[in-house]
Amino acid sequence: MPVLTARALLLDMDGTLVNSDAVVERVWRRWADAHGLDGDEVMKVVHGRQGYASMAVLLPTRPVHLNHADNARMLAEETADMDGVVPVPGAPEFLASLSGVPHALVTSADVPLSTARMAAAGLALPDVRVTAESVGASKPDPEGFLKGAAELGIAPADCVVFEDSGAGIAAGRAAGMRVVGVGPRAAAHGPDVLVRDLRQVRVERDASGVRIHCV
């Protein structure tokens, strides 16, 4: 049973705490159809990134301002669509166990979307949140995780990231942090530890910080 020691936890939202795959699939497959792209190939790219960054990968010659315009529209669509949004198994208990533990939400969603999805899943928002509005670069850039650590006042090396996507895992590693991969998407991207869902994680406080037990 792997055990990681840390002083703070940095938590992705979609795919890690909240299962929003149904909404993401609906919105992005509509976008793929509108641009003549294969939906399955699009879905391999979009998880973990801000929308405009995914579009830049998928349509590299497209003007940036069009990507940002589509991104804004799609964020509004996703915020209005909570059908099928549920907690990742174990997420309520996991978040409850973090009382008194320094932790932050680090998500590619903006404030309205992250607030709506956490509420739809019945999950409490952490006090410290780094959202799309907080950063100038999307995952896999490490900016979000580094900002989360700075806001908590914890050195990056003392933070553990919880992530489900390749972009997010790459961002955590680039920030100099260890990464717990959550769910099947994470398996292909080499996290330090892989769990099926948050029922396989137990967090204990001790004198030096926290111990994270992964079954």
Side-chain angles (χ1 to χ4, degrees):
M1 184 169 71
V3 178
L4 301 176
T5 58
R7 294 182 57 215
L9 278 59
L10 301 177
L11 315 173
D12 174 53
M13 182 182 71
D14 293 301
T16 301
L17 299 173
V18 174
N19 183 343
S20 56
D21 283 2
V23 182
V24 175
E25 289 263 347
R26 284 194 291 272
V27 170
W28 276 100
R29 285 185 182 277
R30 283 199 298 267
W31 183 88
D33 288 345
H35 292 278
L37 299 175
D38 182 275
D40 292 339
E41 294 303 312
V42 167
M43 295 314 302
K44 293 176 183 178
V45 171
V46 301
H47 293 289
R49 293 179 172 86
Q50 292 191 45
Y52 74 85
S54 296
M55 294 170 198
V57 173
L58 293 161
L59 295 174
T61 62
R62 191 181 193 226
V64 172
H65 74 276
L66 295 179
N67 293 341
H68 281 279
D70 273 4
N71 186 45
R73 176 181 55 78
M74 291 165 72
L75 282 170
E77 288 180 14
E78 291 185 66
T79 302
D81 184 357
M82 293 295 130
D83 187 20
V85 174
V86 295
V88 166
E93 297 81 5
F94 172 72
L95 286 173
S97 76
L98 300 186
S99 177
V101 174
H103 65 286
L105 187 73
V106 181
T107 175
S108 293
D110 63 4
V111 169
L113 181 57
S114 58
T115 302
R117 280 192 178 155
M118 291 289 281
L123 301 175
L125 280 163
D127 291 336
V128 177
R129 301 183 287 277
V130 178
T131 60
E133 298 92 337
S134 309
V135 297
S138 170
K139 299 172 185 176
D141 190 281
E143 181 185 0
F145 287 124
L146 292 173
K147 282 200 168 185
E151 289 198 32
L152 294 171
I154 305 295
D158 291 325
C159 297
V160 168
V161 166
F162 283 73
E163 263 286 0
D164 74 300
S165 70
I169 291 169
R173 288 194 177 282
M177 302 171 183
R178 291 152 294 154
V179 181
V180 175
V182 180
R185 270 195 296 269
H189 302 287
D192 295 279
V193 177
L194 179 67
V195 296
R196 181 179 64 253
D197 56 48
L198 294 171
R199 292 174 295 185
Q200 292 189 289
V201 179
R202 181 167 53 88
V203 177
E204 292 180 335
R205 295 181 66 190
D206 62 22
S208 61
V210 296
R211 293 169 63 82
I212 303 162
H213 301 262
C214 302
V215 179

